[in-house]
Amino acid sequence: EVLLVESGGGWVQPGGSLRLSCAASGFTYKPYGMSWVRQAPGKGLEWVSSIRRGGDTYYADSVAGRFTISRDNTKNSLYLQMNSLKTEDSAVYYCATGCIRDDSGTHCDSRGQGTQVTVSS
């Protein structure tokens, strides 16, 4: 059974930073591509960033240049460094695997329970 546990969310003022962490277990972590997705109140799941098994990284246009995804295979962990946060970044952030995007939105095979990020003054 895949288990993903996120941590590191909280409240921060606009322009601030947070670092999210995800502990993964229950599968062979290294071969998998991993993603961060988010969901704001009343909105669908939104893809944020992905890191492939080879280390290639990808970002949504809305976070490129501000967020950095990374992984530590020795610790089976995934991270998201978020800088220059904006109010529109407020959402529940999920660590996820097996994510695809199509015309109907973002869909992931597995997600954690999520961690709340609130950006406000």
Side-chain angles (χ1 to χ4, degrees), residues 4 8 34 57 65 68-69 78 94 96 103:
L4 303 168
M34 299 291 295
T57 58
T68 302
I69 190 171
L78 180 72
Y94 300 92
D103 290 343

Side-chain angles (χ1 to χ4, degrees), residues 51-80:
I51 184 166
R52 288 198 169 186
R53 62 187 71 183
D56 292 340
T57 58
Y58 305 87
Y59 299 94
D61 289 344
S62 59
V63 307
R66 299 187 298 121
F67 290 10
T68 302
I69 190 171
S70 62
R71 63 195 294 172
D72 184 340
N73 294 331
T74 65
K75 297 180 179 180
N76 282 2
S77 294
L78 180 72
Y79 306 100
L80 186 68

Side-chain angles (χ1 to χ4, degrees), residues 12 30 47 57 63 93 100-101 118-119 121:
V12 64
K30 185 175 181 179
W47 172 74
T57 58
V63 307
Y93 284 70
I100 61 170
R101 288 174 287 157
T118 303
V119 185
S121 53

Side-chain angles (χ1 to χ4, degrees), residues 93-112:
Y93 284 70
Y94 300 92
C95 171
T97 64
C99 295
I100 61 170
R101 288 174 287 157
D102 58 26
D103 290 343
S104 65
T106 298
H107 313 279
C108 301
D109 291 338
S110 298
R111 281 191 278 160

